[in-house]
Amino acid sequence: MRRVVCPGSFDPITNGHLDIIGRSARLYDEVTVAVLINVEKSSLFTVDERIDVLQTVTKEYPNVKVRKFHGLLVDFCRKNDIPAIVKGIRVVSDFDYELQMAQLNYRLSGVETLFMPTNPEYSFLSSSRVKEIARYGGDVSGLVPDLVHKLLIDRLRG
Ligand code: PNS
């Protein structure tokens, strides 16, 4: 069984995340989407809300499962027998940051990191930008799954 993890905050999931998850699901037998529980960072959606959304929008991939974790990602990988992490790279600055993280994670545990170039259609996209646009009434349709679009409108303008 070839397993990988797609980790993140997913507050909320964007079409860029979904693209990476879907492409990983076509390459690997099992993809675990791991949502970080981060008590230090304020979030728009609770971890459980994010998990519900992720489960709904990844329904078409039977080999994708969604879990939450806290602490080190490599500990989650070890506990779940996952040998590799998939990270989307949008721009060169992502690579600078992710390379160090990947090397550190490998040094800590031997868990590998695989970089997947983001679909250029989404290379400008991030959860924080999506929230900012939605907060000020901008149109985020096409940038996030329809369900997320609706939830953002409810949460930010409701
Ligand atoms: O979507 P994000 O917020 O960019 O995701 C970041 C995430 C969750 C992948 C990263 O913060 C992470 O792996 N956090 C867990 C703590 C950890 O393992 N840190 C790395 C130490 S080298």
Side-chain angles (χ1 to χ4, degrees), residues 7-59:
S9 302
F10 303 107
D11 185 44
I13 184 171
T14 68
N15 283 346
H17 292 129
L18 195 53
D19 179 64
I20 297 287
I21 294 167
R23 286 158 64 198
S24 301
R26 284 190 282 275
L27 291 171
Y28 292 92
D29 298 318
E30 188 178 271
V31 176
T32 302
V33 178
V35 183
L36 176 68
I37 304 168
N38 187 351
V39 284
E40 281 151 31
K41 206 167 142 187
S42 67
S43 58
L44 183 61
F45 297 101
T46 67
V47 169
D48 290 333
E49 284 171 334
R50 285 178 259 161
I51 287 179
D52 280 351
V53 170
L54 281 158
Q55 276 167 341
T56 304
V57 301
T58 59
K59 226 183 253 165

Side-chain angles (χ1 to χ4, degrees), residues 7-10 36 41 69 71-74 87 101 104-105 108:
S9 302
F10 303 107
L36 176 68
K41 206 167 142 187
F69 78 103
L72 293 179
L73 176 59
V74 292
K87 287 286 185 81
M101 185 92 98
L104 204 43
N105 279 336
L108 283 173

Side-chain angles (χ1 to χ4, degrees), residues 117-134:
T118 298
N119 184 328
E121 212 182 319
Y122 305 123
S123 62
F124 51 82
L125 200 49
S126 70
S127 299
S128 17
R129 288 286 170 254
V130 161
K131 282 183 281 194
E132 190 176 2
I133 296 166

